[in-house]
Structure formats: structure tokens, C-alpha cells
Amino acid sequence: MEKSIFLFFILLLTNTFVFCQEDKDSLADNYIYPPNSYNNFDGLTPKESWDIHKAAYIKQLKAKGVTGKEYKKSLNEYEKQKADFLTRVEEQNRIAEVQRKKNEEQRAQNEVQREKNEKQRAKNEIQREKNEELRKKYQKWIDNTKEILSKNITISSQIDNSKPISFTVTSNKTLYLGIRAHVKSGTTLIEIFNPKGIKEGELSLKSQLGSNNRESEYTSGAFDKTISTTEVGEWQIKISSQKSNGNVAMSVRQSIKSVMNE
């Protein structure tokens, strides 16, 4: 009986040892996977990750009993994969750096353009405010004046422009005279006379010769005058032209407020 129990115990130990023994051939050749990501995990560079995996790979080869030429071949293949991968990583980093610099340059250009646009908007706002102020002043001037004369005259060498243009002033309030003229050829003289025959102003235009001794497209001129104490009566605007072609626009307005309130 004691002998049977002893034999059973021996068999039990033997079976346990057999089932617990590790099979060296159970490890696949690719049990240790080399890193294949461009990302930097846990602060490690791609090369550092490969070096760590290489140590594990060598340990695996030794555990499998790989030696000699096979061992050397496996390490050479591993190093080749490592070199190829690091080359790809380097190229990827180079491309990423080039793109980063381009993005940085583009951001700088965008910032410069943004500042220019901001300055331009500020200038436009200032100009808008000035224009609005001028518009209000002009509107105020229109509201406080009345129109006496508004006329456009065509000047032609075929038309007699010697007849004066007359307008009547009935009060001595401030008078505003405005003349605009454009001539394409010849000479033109525009004169303004008060009821006493005294000349209050004039505008003289003469077409200029351009290149190849040809007359320029247009010669333009303007005349503006404000008369605070105006002569009452009939005023005249005389236009004298010689071989001239063009047009004259004239405007006369008078304040509707008294002189003392202006």
C-alpha cells in the first residue's frame, strides 16, 4: 500500500512538470513588433523606441535559441527596418518643418495684411467723417441760400457766344459765384460784371498743345467768389471765345439770411 502511494506521487510531479514547461517554439517570429509610428510616445524619439524594442527583440532571439548566422541575419534585417523607418521619419520631419515655416510666413503675411486693412479702415472712417462733415456744411449752405442762376453753355466756333448772360440780384445779402469750364480747342474768356459795370472776376482758358503738336483733350478751369455786400441790380456774365469748343457751367446763389446774421 505504501509503495502504491509513493508511485502515484512520483507520477503527479512528473505530469505537473511536463504541463508547466514553456515551449520555446511557441513564440512567433514577429512576437516583438518594432515601432512603426511617427508619433513620439512618452517623450521618446523614434530611434529611442527602436533601441528599446531592439533589446526586447534580442532577448526574444536568445530565448528561442537563435545563434550564429541566423541571429546575425535577424539583427541585420531589424537594423535595416530601423534605418528605413528613421529615414522616413527624417523626411516626414523635414516636410513638416518646411510646411511649418510656410505656415509661419503665411501667418506673418496675414498679420501684415490685417494691419494694413485696419489702417485702411481707419483712414476710410476718417475720410467718411470728413465727407459727412462737408456734406452737412454743403446741405446747410444750400438750405440757407436761394438759387439765382444755374446754366450750362455749349461753346462752339459755329455759335455766337458774344451775347451776355444776365441775372438780377434784389438784395445786398451774400452772393456766391461759381464757374466751371472745359475747352477742347481755341481760347475762352469768361468775365463777371456787377450792375455798375465793374468786373468782379474772370476765368481765362486756352487749349494746350500735347504731343505731336496736337491739342490736348480738354483744358479745364474753375472760378469761385463770395461777395459779402452785393450790388443790387442786373449782373452780367460775358463769354468771349476764339475757335473754341467746350462747355461752361455757371451757378449763382444768394444767402437768404441778412448780412449781419451770416
Side-chain angles (χ1 to χ4, degrees):
M1 182 66 180
E2 292 178 358
K3 186 177 180 180
S4 298
I5 295 173
F6 177 76
L7 289 173
F8 176 76
F9 182 72
I10 294 297
L11 290 172
L12 180 62
L13 289 176
T14 302
N15 290 334
T16 304
F17 176 78
V18 170
F19 285 112
C20 292
Q21 187 177 12
E22 180 180 0
D23 184 6
K24 293 182 179 179
D25 294 333
S26 63
L27 292 176
D29 291 340
N30 60 349
Y31 181 72
I32 299 296
Y33 293 96
N36 59 358
S37 173
Y38 294 108
N39 296 324
N40 183 0
F41 293 108
D42 298 328
L44 297 176
T45 65
K47 183 179 182 302
E48 290 171 339
S49 297
W50 273 80
D51 289 340
I52 292 173
H53 281 75
K54 181 179 179 181
Y57 186 61
I58 291 173
K59 186 175 180 181
Q60 177 195 5
L61 292 176
K62 289 180 179 179
K64 292 176 65 176
V66 178
T67 58
K69 290 183 179 180
E70 187 178 355
Y71 176 80
K72 196 174 201 179
K73 179 182 177 182
S74 296
L75 284 185
N76 287 338
E77 290 178 354
Y78 192 91
E79 288 294 333
K80 184 177 182 300
Q81 292 181 35
K82 173 183 174 181
D84 292 343
F85 175 75
L86 293 180
T87 299
R88 295 197 304 272
V89 170
E90 184 177 353
E91 178 63 15
Q92 185 71 15
N93 289 340
R94 185 191 67 79
I95 294 172
E97 180 63 17
V98 170
Q99 188 60 47
R100 185 191 67 78
K101 289 182 179 179
K102 286 183 179 180
N103 293 341
E104 198 64 34
E105 291 175 359
Q106 187 61 49
R107 279 194 293 270
Q109 291 177 2
N110 291 342
E111 182 62 21
V112 171
Q113 187 61 46
R114 187 192 65 78
E115 291 177 357
K116 287 182 179 180
N117 293 342
E118 194 64 31
K119 289 180 180 179
Q120 188 60 47
R121 279 194 291 270
K123 289 181 180 179
N124 292 343
E125 182 61 22
I126 292 174
Q127 188 60 49
R128 188 194 65 78
E129 291 176 356
K130 288 181 178 179
N131 293 342
E132 182 62 18
E133 185 178 351
L134 289 175
R135 187 196 66 79
K136 288 180 179 179
K137 287 182 178 180
Y138 179 73
Q139 187 61 46
K140 184 179 180 181
W141 178 74
I142 290 293
D143 294 340
N144 287 280
T145 60
K146 66 177 181 179
E147 185 179 85
I148 295 178
L149 175 68
S150 179
K151 199 172 185 67
N152 290 304
I153 303 295
T154 299
I155 302 173
S156 172
S157 57
Q158 307 299 322
I159 300 176
D160 183 11
N161 298 299
S162 60
K163 184 178 179 180
I165 299 168
S166 301
F167 61 92
T168 301
V169 176
T170 58
S171 71
N172 63 351
K173 297 175 184 177
T174 303
L175 194 69
Y176 303 94
L177 304 170
I179 306 290
R180 302 289 182 271
H182 307 277
V183 295
K184 191 173 183 180
S185 61
T187 59
T188 299
L189 175 64
I190 305 167
E191 300 171 293
I192 303 172
F193 296 92
N194 65 23
K196 294 182 178 180
I198 300 173
K199 185 188 293 186
E200 294 287 353
E202 67 176 40
L203 175 62
S204 179
L205 296 176
K206 182 178 181 180
S207 62
Q208 303 294 322
L209 292 178
S211 59
N212 301 323
N213 291 328
R214 297 180 62 183
E215 291 177 336
S216 62
E217 190 68 19
Y218 278 102
T219 299
S220 301
F223 169 82
D224 292 288
K225 186 174 183 179
T226 299
I227 302 174
S228 56
T229 304
T230 308
E231 291 289 340
V232 176
E234 186 179 273
W235 289 61
Q236 290 187 338
I237 300 176
K238 295 182 179 179
I239 301 175
S240 304
S241 62
Q242 296 181 359
K243 299 180 180 180
S244 182
N245 290 279
N247 60 80
V248 178
M250 54 192 71
S251 173
V252 180
R253 299 185 72 90
Q254 190 170 30
S255 176
I256 58 178
K257 298 188 301 182
S258 63
V259 175
M260 294 184 63
N261 292 332
E262 294 176 338

